[in-house]
Each structure stands twice: as structure tokens, then as C-alpha cells.
């Protein structure tokens, strides 16, 4: 609460500063509102918002959800006083400039100084744009992505009337190189999507080898780094992921989501193209915009029209506070998330009750409770999920190939191809300090769900 009060004080100072920039306008009175009613409705809104998992708390260790940084929240709210629209300079001059600066910093994190890029609604829209460009440059050719790529790639391809094919993954959840190699040899693949951190397990596709295949087959490479992109700043990744991120500057396009690991409110994705000349594909006439300046209006290089300038202000402010540099505070926070994931993985590996899948490449851990068959494991995962939630620990579930659990005892009955796993995205830096507490709750939930099952089985 103290921190909130401090933030609000800082915010009110900033509002005054903002007002001062418009002080010479003639006085006018905006329409009044009923203060009492507003307060009541705000409280009712807060009440409604109780019906959420506590995403901001370290005991929320489930899906890919992370609270925005206070500076992002406040800069966003400040910009809402103006509510700029970054479609055109006419609608958002200052925030368009901030967007260009903030996006250049993201591009520079990937080693690009010359590029074309902008913010957009999120990872799906950013991938849509990247694949739309790919489709124009490789008309009639297919899009391929791993079977663990985000589900929207197939849907996006269908929207774009491009054929999509999944490529098998190996036991580490990465695109299988031999399967890709066979597929691209057929000559009809226009774009390979390399996922730099899959949604389910955080696996990083073998980018180096994909780039080598590109030399022979000439397809485009699009890196979907919506979730994993910021890990490019981390030197301590294991060798495979490190070498993949080391070559990300060689891909044709990159998607990264500031609203995932970039501490931003939702509605902030980013797409980048290595070759700025793809901007010509966006050429369109808009007789009612783009008149105030000959400078680039962001709407001239993006598929969406209206976009919140507030997103750009929030991102700009966050990157001023936490620059995207190796060894900086932002990078150290990411390292903490990864350390939390490694710590949980080690606890799972050493415990007789659980079997983790492969070691986490980024900060997602996936595991199953030990049982006699995959069906029983799946049921127990669900039971632990519920039992942990009752104890205040919120995990996620995922249906994944049983092949991801190579260390499973051979005696376990493989009575299905997939298994329902427990999944934990440890993306808050605070998770590291909470691993012991998370572990205690997990273990007691596993023991409790085991007892419940034994009791219910033995009942007539
Ligand atoms: C790798 C990856 N790509 C794309 C997306 C879609 O992003 P969004 O939910 O922002 O549309 C996600 C979402 O989790 C993702 O993990």
C-alpha cells in the first residue's frame, strides 16, 4: 500500500507537469461528473476484479502472466490524459516518436540498427504481420512451424490463405531438424517459423541449423520470440539456447511481446523486419490522414490503423528505467526467473513423487506426478492442480507428448500418447525467493491428493 501511495504521489506530480504544457490554452470546463457515483462504481469495479487469480503474487506460478512495472502503469495512465493514437503523427506526435525510440532499442537488443518495425496489439497480430509480409514475398508457398509452435500460426496462415504444415518436435520440444530438412527439400516451403521459446515448455528451436538449411533452400525465417525474445540478453542460458539467440540477427523477421516479459500492460506486441524495404508492401492511400508531416507515420508501415500511443509511452518509460542491456537490472530480473525455474526443476528431479520433463531452457517447468500409467498421471496432475489452488498455489496444466518425459520408468503403462502435465511459468523475479514455499505447497498438495485417491479407491 505504501508503494502504491508513493506511485500515486509521483503520478499526480507528473499530471501537473503534463497540464503545464497546455497552460496557455483558453480556459474551458470539461463536463462534470458525479464524484460520489464515480467512487461507488470504481469500488464496484474493484469488487468485480476480485474474481481473478492473483497474477501479481509469487504464488501465482501458472500461466504466462506478469504484472506490468509501476512505471509502465503510470506512464500508460498519464498518456491516457491525452489518449494519443499512434496511427498517424496527427493523432500522436510525441508517442509516435517514443514508439520509434523504444522499438529501436528492442531491435538493437537483437543486433539490428537498420530495420523496420513497430508496436501492435500483441503476439498474434505481430505474427500475422510477419507472415503477411512472408506471404507477399513467397506467394503460394507454405508456412511451416513446429508442432509446439503457438496455435495461432495455423489460424493466421488460414486467414492469409497460406497453407500451413506442422513439423514434428523432438523429445526436448524443439523442431525436429531431420523432419524439417525432409520437408523443405520438397521445395514448396516459403517460410519457416522458428519459435524462440515455446508457449508450453519454453523450448528453443534450433535456429543455427535452420539458418544453414535456408542457405540451400532459400525460404524465409521468421523468429516467433513473443515469449522468449528478451532472453537474448542473458549470457547464462545453456549452450543450445545461447547459440540460437546468438544468431537471431540473421532471421528475416522477429516478433517479441513487451506485454509478456517486457513488463507492459496487455496490448503491446512488436514486429521487426531486417529489411526495411518491406515497408513498400504496406503502401496504401489514406486521403484523410498523414497530412500534418512528411515524416513517417506509423500507420504507413503497419496493418492496424488506430493504436494506443499510451502503450508506446509505457514501453518508452520502462526502457528508460530498465534499459535492455546485458547485465543490467532488467537482464538480472530475467536471470532470477530462470534461476527459479532451474531450482524448481532440481527439486522435482530429486523427489520420488514427481518426474520433470527436460531441464527448462528459459523459465517454464513442466512435470508429472509419478503413477503406474499415463492415464493415472494425468488424473493426478489434475488433482494436484486443484489441491494446490486450494492451498493458494496456482499452477497451470498442459497436455503434452509423453515422449517429453524420457526419464519415466519403462514400467509405466503408456496407455495414451499424451499426458496431462503440471506447468509452471516462473516469470516473476520474485519467484526465486518463493521457491521453497512453492515447493512445500506442491509437496503437501501431492501428498493430500494421493491420500484422497487412496481413500476413495478403497471405499466400496
Ligand atoms: C510463442 C508465442 N507466440 C505467440 C503468442 C501469442 O501472443 P498473444 O497472446 O500476445 O497474441 C504467444 C502467447 O503466449 C506465444 O507464447
Amino acid at each position: 500500500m505504501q508503494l502504491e501511495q508513493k506511485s500515486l504521489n509521483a503520478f499526480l506530480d507528473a499530471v501537473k507537469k503534463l497540464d503545464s504544457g497546455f497552460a496557455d490554452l483558453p480556459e474551458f470546463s470539461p463536463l462534470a461528473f458525479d464524484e460520489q457515483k464515480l467512487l461507488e462504481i470504481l469500488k464496484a469495479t474493484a469488487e468485480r476484479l476480485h474474481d481473478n487469480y492473483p497474477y501479481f503474487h509469487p504464488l501465482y506460478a501458472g500461466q504466462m502472466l506478469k504484472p506490468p512495472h509501476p512505471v509502465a502503469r503510470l506512464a500508460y495512465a498519464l498518456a491516457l490524459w491525452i489518449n494519443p493514437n499512434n496511427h498517424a503523427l496527427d493523432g500522436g506526435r510525441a508517442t509516435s516518436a517514443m514508439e520509434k525510440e523504444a522499438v529501436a532499442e528492442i531491435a538493437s537488443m537483437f543486433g539490428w540498427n537498420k530495420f523496420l518495425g513497430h508496436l501492435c496489439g500483441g503476439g498474434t497480430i505481430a505474427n500475422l504481420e510477419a507472415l503477411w509480409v512472408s506471404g507477399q514475398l513467397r506467394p503460394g508457398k507454405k508456412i511451416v512451424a513446429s508442432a509446439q509452435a503457438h496455435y495461432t500460426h495455423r489460424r493466421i496462415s488460414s486467414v492469409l490463405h497460406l497453407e500451413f504444415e506442422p513439423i514434428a518436435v523432438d523429445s526436448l520440444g524443439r523442431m525436429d531438424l531431420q523432419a524439417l530438412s525432409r520437408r523443405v527439400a520438397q521445395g514448396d516451403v516459403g517460410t519457416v517459423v522458428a519459435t524462440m521459446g515455446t508457449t508450453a515448455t519454453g523450448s528453443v528451436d534450433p535456429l543455427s541449423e535452420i539458418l544453414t538449411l535456408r542457405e540451400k533452400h532459400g525460404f524465409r525465417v521468421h523468429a516467433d520470440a513473443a515469449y522468449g525474445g528478451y532472453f537474448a540478453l542473458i549470457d547464462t542460458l545453456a549452450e543450445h539456447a545461447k547459440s540460437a539467440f546468438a544468431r537471431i540477427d540473421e532471421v528475416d523477421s522477429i516478433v517479441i511481446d513487451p506485454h509478456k516479459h517486457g513488463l507492459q500492460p496487455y496490448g503491446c506486441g512488436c514486429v521487426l523486419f531486417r529489411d526495411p524495404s518491406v515497408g513498400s508492401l504496406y503502401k496504401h492511400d489514406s486521403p484523410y490522414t498523414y497530412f500534418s508531416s512528411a515524416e513517417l507515420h506509423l500507420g504507413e508501415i503497419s496493418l492496424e490503423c488506430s493504436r494506443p500511443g499510451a502503450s508506446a509511452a509505457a514501453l518508452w518509460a520502462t526502457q528508460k528505467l530498465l534499459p535492455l542491456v546485458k547485465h543490467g537490472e532488467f537482464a538480472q530480473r530475467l536471470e532470477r526467473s530462470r534461476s527459479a525455474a532451474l531450482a524448481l526443476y532440481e527439486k522435482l528431479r530429486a523427489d520420488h513423487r514427481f518426474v520433470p520433463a527436460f531441464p527448462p531452457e528459459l523459465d517454464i517447468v513442466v512435470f508429472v506426478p509419478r503413477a503406474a500409467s499415463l492415464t493415472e498421471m494425468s488424473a493426478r496432475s489434475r488433482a494436484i492442480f486443484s489441491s494446490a489452488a486450494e492451498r493458494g498455489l496456482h499452477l497451470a496444466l498442459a497436455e503434452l507428448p509423453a515422449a517429453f518425459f524420457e526419464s519415466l520408468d519403462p514400467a509405466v503403462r503408456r496407455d495414451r500418447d499424451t499426458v496431462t502435465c503440471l506447468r509452471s511459468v516462473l516469470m516473476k523475479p520474485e519467484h526465486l525467493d518463493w521457491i521453497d514455499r512453492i515447493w512445500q505447497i506442491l509437496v503437501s498438495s501431492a501428498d493430500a491428493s494421493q491420500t484422497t485417491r487412496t481413500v476413495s479407491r478403497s471405499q466400496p
Side-chain angles (χ1 to χ4, degrees):
M1 206 52 201
Q2 238 182 358
L3 266 181
E4 266 95 356
Q5 193 56 56
K6 279 190 190 158
S7 312
L8 286 178
N9 293 345
F11 179 68
L12 290 177
D13 273 358
V15 172
K16 271 193 217 142
K17 172 85 183 161
L18 179 62
D19 269 353
S20 70
F22 298 95
D24 49 2
L25 285 172
E27 192 66 33
F28 97 109
S29 309
L31 290 180
F33 54 83
D34 180 334
E35 274 174 54
Q36 189 50 38
K37 195 119 193 123
L38 180 132
L39 182 61
E40 274 166 30
I41 293 174
L42 269 185
K43 284 187 175 166
T45 310
E47 185 79 35
R48 292 297 294 264
L49 289 173
H50 288 159
D51 185 20
N52 271 305
Y53 291 111
Y55 307 117
F56 52 87
H57 195 278
L59 285 182
Y60 183 85
Q63 304 274 30
M64 207 174 269
L65 291 155
K66 180 168 176 165
H69 192 281
V71 80
R73 273 188 210 141
L74 297 175
Y76 196 104
L78 190 63
L80 281 186
W81 252 249
I82 307 272
N83 196 23
N85 181 337
N86 274 15
H87 165 237
L89 292 167
D90 319 80
R93 217 169 31 238
T95 46
S96 291
M98 289 163 119
E99 176 166 332
K100 288 175 196 168
E101 289 170 36
V103 169
E105 286 164 10
I106 294 180
S108 147
M109 173 174 79
F110 295 123
W112 287 355
N113 297 322
K114 211 172 79 178
F115 68 96
L116 189 85
H118 61 85
L119 300 181
C120 60
T124 306
I125 298 299
N127 279 320
L128 172 88
E129 249 180 68
L131 296 187
W132 174 74
V133 164
S134 278
Q136 311 255 330
L137 297 174
R138 299 285 187 282
K141 298 248 174 161
K142 291 187 173 141
I143 308 280
V144 301
S146 95
Q148 285 291 316
H150 198 260
Y151 76 93
T152 46
H153 286 289
R154 179 187 284 279
R155 181 187 283 183
I156 290 167
S157 304
S158 143
V159 169
L160 296 171
H161 296 290
L162 295 167
E163 272 188 66
F164 174 87
E165 261 186 58
I167 304 291
V169 289
D170 61 18
S171 60
L172 300 175
R174 304 168 181 160
M175 185 183 279
D176 184 278
L177 260 184
Q178 290 194 342
L180 177 68
S181 178
R182 280 194 301 274
R183 189 58 198 79
V184 294
Q186 293 177 33
D188 57 352
V189 171
T191 304
V192 175
V193 176
T195 305
M196 307 297 286
T198 58
T199 316
T201 60
S203 302
V204 178
D205 280 342
L207 185 62
S208 266
E209 293 79 357
I210 294 173
L211 290 167
T212 307
L213 281 174
R214 176 176 74 177
E215 283 165 27
K216 180 155 175 220
H217 299 284
F219 48 76
R220 284 175 66 80
V221 178
H222 168 59
D224 180 356
Y227 147 67
Y230 289 101
F231 284 93
L233 291 174
I234 304 302
D235 285 335
T236 52
L237 297 179
E239 201 42 50
H240 168 83
K242 205 186 332 183
S243 64
F245 278 111
R247 292 191 66 185
I248 198 168
D249 59 323
E250 296 174 49
V251 305
D252 297 289
S253 49
I254 304 176
V255 157
I256 177 165
D257 267 354
H259 72 196
K260 292 192 170 57
H261 256 306
L263 299 165
Q264 297 310 296
Y266 280 114
C268 193
C270 177
V271 61
L272 302 166
F273 297 96
R274 184 160 53 113
D275 176 5
S277 76
V278 300
S280 63
L281 299 171
Y282 288 87
K283 196 161 171 40
H284 62 276
D285 282 330
S286 175
Y288 29 78
T289 47
Y290 313 145
F291 49 78
S292 68
S293 161
E295 251 183 88
L296 178 75
H297 301 256
L298 289 163
E300 291 178 284
I301 54 149
S302 66
L303 284 184
E304 288 170 283
C305 180
S306 294
R307 286 193 296 106
S311 281
L315 184 64
W316 183 91
T318 310
Q319 291 177 189
K320 283 284 158 278
L321 190 69
L322 300 169
L324 302 179
V325 291
K326 287 193 173 199
H327 314 295
E329 192 182 334
F330 180 87
Q332 284 168 13
R333 287 169 172 229
L334 275 187
E335 296 231 29
R336 286 177 64 83
S337 301
R338 185 166 143 68
S339 300
L342 290 172
L344 180 59
Y345 171 77
E346 285 307 329
K347 283 183 184 297
L348 290 160
R349 205 162 65 100
D351 194 274
H352 65 279
R353 282 161 284 212
F354 299 102
V355 183
F358 36 82
E361 289 209 83
L362 303 179
D363 59 9
I364 303 180
V365 188
V366 174
F367 53 101
V368 285
R370 265 182 221 281
S373 70
L374 295 179
T375 299
E376 204 177 318
M377 276 176 188
S378 299
R380 289 214 55 222
S381 288
R382 289 203 173 83
I384 295 174
F385 170 79
S386 304
S387 159
E390 281 162 19
R391 291 166 168 75
L393 172 66
H394 303 283
L395 301 167
L397 291 168
E399 194 64 27
L400 293 174
F404 287 3
F405 293 86
E406 276 192 318
S407 60
L408 267 190
D409 192 324
V412 170
R413 253 192 340 279
R414 269 63 173 178
D415 51 355
R416 38 190 284 187
D417 295 332
T418 62
V419 58
T420 312
C421 318
L422 288 154
R423 171 172 164 267
S424 187
V425 185
L426 293 164
M427 72 193 305
K428 291 184 280 266
E430 295 86 353
H431 275 136
L432 185 57
D433 296 330
W434 282 70
I435 280 300
D436 287 341
R437 182 78 184 274
I438 289 173
W439 179 247
Q440 277 164 13
I441 302 180
L442 186 55
V443 162
S444 57
S445 310
D447 291 346
S449 71
Q450 179 77 319
T451 318
T452 318
R453 283 181 67 77
T454 317
V455 170
S456 61
R457 268 206 199 139
S458 60
Q459 273 166 3

